[in-house]
Coordinates of all heavy atoms in Angstrom, one line a residue:
S100 N 43.1 14.7 -56.3 CA 42.5 15.9 -55.7 C 43.4 16.6 -54.7 O 43.4 17.8 -54.6 CB 41.2 15.5 -55.0 OG 41.4 14.6 -53.9
T101 N 44.3 15.8 -54.0 CA 45.3 16.4 -53.1 C 46.3 17.2 -53.9 O 46.7 18.3 -53.5 CB 45.9 15.3 -52.2 OG1 44.9 14.6 -51.5 CG2 47.0 15.9 -51.3
V102 N 46.8 16.6 -54.9 CA 47.8 17.3 -55.8 C 47.2 18.6 -56.4 O 47.8 19.6 -56.4 CB 48.3 16.4 -56.9 CG1 49.2 17.1 -57.8 CG2 49.1 15.2 -56.2
L103 N 46.0 18.5 -56.8 CA 45.3 19.7 -57.4 C 45.1 20.8 -56.3 O 45.3 22.0 -56.6 CB 44.0 19.3 -58.0 CG 44.1 18.5 -59.3 CD1 42.8 18.1 -59.8 CD2 44.9 19.3 -60.4
A104 N 44.8 20.4 -55.1 CA 44.6 21.4 -54.0 C 45.9 22.0 -53.6 O 46.0 23.2 -53.4 CB 44.0 20.7 -52.7
F105 N 47.0 21.2 -53.6 CA 48.4 21.7 -53.4 C 48.7 22.7 -54.4 O 49.2 23.8 -54.2 CB 49.4 20.5 -53.3 CG 50.8 21.0 -53.1 CD1 51.2 21.4 -51.8 CD2 51.7 20.9 -54.1 CE1 52.5 21.8 -51.6 CE2 53.0 21.3 -53.8 CZ 53.4 21.7 -52.6
R106 N 48.5 22.4 -55.7 CA 48.8 23.3 -56.8 C 48.0 24.6 -56.7 O 48.5 25.7 -56.9 CB 48.4 22.6 -58.1 CG 48.7 23.5 -59.3 CD 48.3 23.0 -60.6 NE 49.0 21.8 -61.0 CZ 48.7 21.0 -62.0 NH1 47.6 21.2 -62.7 NH2 49.5 20.0 -62.4
S107 N 46.7 24.5 -56.2 CA 45.9 25.7 -56.0 C 46.5 26.6 -55.0 O 46.6 27.8 -55.1 CB 44.5 25.3 -55.7 OG 43.7 26.4 -55.4
A108 N 47.0 26.0 -53.9 CA 47.6 26.8 -52.8 C 48.9 27.4 -53.3 O 49.2 28.6 -52.9 CB 47.9 25.9 -51.6
L109 N 49.6 26.7 -54.1 CA 50.9 27.3 -54.6 C 50.6 28.5 -55.6 O 51.3 29.5 -55.5 CB 51.6 26.3 -55.4 CG 52.5 25.3 -54.6 CD1 53.1 24.3 -55.6 CD2 53.5 26.0 -53.8
L110 N 49.5 28.4 -56.4 CA 49.1 29.5 -57.3 C 48.8 30.7 -56.5 O 49.2 31.8 -56.8 CB 48.0 29.1 -58.2 CG 48.3 28.1 -59.2 CD1 47.0 27.6 -60.0 CD2 49.3 28.6 -60.2
E111 N 48.1 30.6 -55.3 CA 47.8 31.7 -54.5 C 49.0 32.3 -53.9 O 49.2 33.5 -53.9 CB 46.8 31.3 -53.4 CG 46.5 32.4 -52.4 CD 45.8 33.6 -53.0 OE1 45.1 33.4 -54.0 OE2 45.9 34.7 -52.4
A112 N 49.9 31.4 -53.4 CA 51.2 31.9 -52.8 C 52.0 32.6 -53.9 O 52.7 33.7 -53.6 CB 52.0 30.8 -52.2
Q113 N 52.1 32.1 -55.1 CA 52.8 32.7 -56.2 C 52.3 34.1 -56.5 O 53.0 35.0 -56.8 CB 52.8 31.8 -57.4 CG 53.6 30.6 -57.2 CD 53.4 29.5 -58.3 OE1 52.2 29.3 -58.7 NE2 54.4 28.9 -58.8
S114 N 51.0 34.2 -56.5 CA 50.3 35.5 -56.7 C 50.8 36.5 -55.7 O 51.1 37.7 -56.0 CB 48.8 35.4 -56.7 OG 48.2 36.6 -56.8
Q115 N 50.8 36.1 -54.4 CA 51.2 37.0 -53.3 C 52.6 37.3 -53.4 O 53.0 38.5 -53.1 CB 50.8 36.4 -52.0 CG 49.3 36.3 -51.7 CD 49.0 35.6 -50.4 OE1 49.8 35.4 -49.6 NE2 47.7 35.2 -50.3
A116 N 53.5 36.4 -53.7 CA 54.9 36.6 -53.8 C 55.3 37.5 -54.9 O 56.4 38.1 -54.8 CB 55.6 35.2 -54.0
S117 N 54.5 37.7 -55.8 CA 54.9 38.7 -56.9 C 54.5 40.1 -56.6 O 54.8 41.0 -57.4 CB 54.1 38.3 -58.2 OG 52.7 38.4 -58.1
Q118 N 54.0 40.4 -55.4 CA 53.6 41.7 -55.0 C 54.8 42.3 -54.1 O 54.8 42.0 -52.9 CB 52.3 41.7 -54.3 CG 51.2 41.2 -55.1 CD 49.9 41.0 -54.4 OE1 49.6 41.7 -53.4 NE2 49.0 40.2 -54.9
A119 N 55.7 43.1 -54.7 CA 56.9 43.5 -54.0 C 56.6 44.3 -52.7 O 57.3 44.1 -51.7 CB 57.7 44.4 -55.0
A120 N 55.5 45.1 -52.7 CA 55.2 45.9 -51.5 C 55.0 45.0 -50.3 O 55.4 45.3 -49.2 CB 54.0 46.8 -51.8
Q121 N 54.2 43.9 -50.5 CA 54.0 43.0 -49.4 C 55.2 42.3 -48.9 O 55.4 42.2 -47.7 CB 52.9 41.9 -49.8 CG 51.5 42.5 -50.0 CD 50.5 41.4 -50.4 OE1 50.9 40.3 -50.7 NE2 49.3 41.7 -50.3
V122 N 56.1 41.9 -49.8 CA 57.3 41.2 -49.5 C 58.2 42.2 -48.7 O 58.8 41.8 -47.7 CB 58.0 40.6 -50.7 CG1 59.4 40.0 -50.3 CG2 57.1 39.6 -51.4
Q123 N 58.3 43.4 -49.2 CA 59.2 44.4 -48.6 C 58.7 44.7 -47.1 O 59.5 44.9 -46.2 CB 59.2 45.7 -49.4 CG 60.1 45.5 -50.6 CD 60.1 46.7 -51.5 OE1 59.1 47.4 -51.6 NE2 61.1 46.9 -52.3
A124 N 57.4 44.8 -47.0 CA 56.8 45.0 -45.6 C 57.2 43.9 -44.7 O 57.5 44.2 -43.5 CB 55.3 45.2 -45.7
V125 N 57.1 42.7 -45.1 CA 57.5 41.6 -44.2 C 59.0 41.6 -43.9 O 59.3 41.5 -42.7 CB 57.1 40.2 -44.9 CG1 57.8 39.1 -44.1 CG2 55.6 40.0 -45.0
L126 N 59.8 41.9 -44.9 CA 61.3 42.0 -44.6 C 61.6 43.1 -43.7 O 62.4 43.0 -42.8 CB 62.0 42.1 -45.9 CG 62.1 40.8 -46.8 CD1 62.8 41.1 -48.1 CD2 62.7 39.7 -46.0
A127 N 60.9 44.3 -43.9 CA 61.2 45.5 -43.1 C 60.8 45.2 -41.6 O 61.4 45.8 -40.7 CB 60.4 46.7 -43.6
S128 N 59.8 44.4 -41.4 CA 59.4 44.1 -40.0 C 60.2 43.1 -39.3 O 60.1 42.9 -38.1 CB 57.9 43.7 -40.0 OG 57.8 42.4 -40.6
D129 N 61.1 42.4 -40.1 CA 61.9 41.4 -39.5 C 63.2 42.0 -38.9 O 64.1 42.4 -39.6 CB 62.3 40.4 -40.6 CG 63.1 39.2 -40.1 OD1 63.5 39.2 -38.9 OD2 63.3 38.3 -40.8
E130 N 63.2 42.2 -37.6 CA 64.4 42.8 -36.9 C 65.7 42.2 -37.2 O 66.7 42.8 -37.1 CB 64.1 42.9 -35.4 CG 62.9 43.8 -35.1 CD 62.6 43.7 -33.6 OE1 63.5 43.3 -32.8 OE2 61.5 44.1 -33.2
A131 N 65.7 40.9 -37.5 CA 67.0 40.2 -37.8 C 67.7 40.7 -39.0 O 68.9 40.5 -39.1 CB 66.7 38.7 -37.9
H132 N 67.0 41.4 -39.9 CA 67.6 41.9 -41.1 C 68.2 43.3 -40.9 O 68.7 43.9 -41.9 CB 66.7 41.8 -42.3 CG 66.4 40.5 -42.7 ND1 65.3 39.7 -42.4 CD2 67.2 39.6 -43.5 CE1 65.4 38.6 -42.9 NE2 66.5 38.5 -43.6
G133 N 68.1 43.8 -39.7 CA 68.8 45.1 -39.5 C 67.9 46.3 -39.9 O 66.8 46.4 -39.6
N134 N 68.5 47.2 -40.7 CA 67.9 48.5 -41.1 C 66.7 48.3 -41.9 O 66.8 47.9 -43.1 CB 69.0 49.3 -41.8 CG 68.5 50.7 -42.1 OD1 67.4 51.0 -41.9 ND2 69.4 51.5 -42.6
P135 N 65.5 48.6 -41.4 CA 64.3 48.5 -42.2 C 64.2 49.5 -43.3 O 63.3 49.3 -44.2 CB 63.2 48.7 -41.1 CG 63.8 49.5 -40.1 CD 65.3 49.1 -40.1
D136 N 65.0 50.5 -43.3 CA 64.9 51.5 -44.4 C 65.6 51.0 -45.7 O 65.4 51.5 -46.8 CB 65.6 52.8 -44.0 CG 64.8 53.5 -42.8 OD1 63.6 53.3 -42.8 OD2 65.4 54.1 -42.0

């Protein structure tokens, strides 16, 4: 049950990671990466 719960959490994260706009927004807000444009 723990392994299946872990897999479920990964599936949700994988779904979110495939959305470029969300990833770009996070990177753009990270001042350590310089130019947000």
Side-chain angles (χ1 to χ4, degrees):
S100 61
T101 301
V102 172
L103 292 174
F105 181 73
R106 182 187 289 170
S107 178
L109 282 177
L110 290 174
E111 177 61 27
Q113 289 167 320
S114 174
Q115 291 177 15
S117 67
Q118 299 174 24
Q121 288 182 349
V122 174
Q123 287 175 330
V125 169
L126 290 176
S128 67
D129 185 352
E130 294 176 17
H132 287 101
N134 186 351
D136 296 327

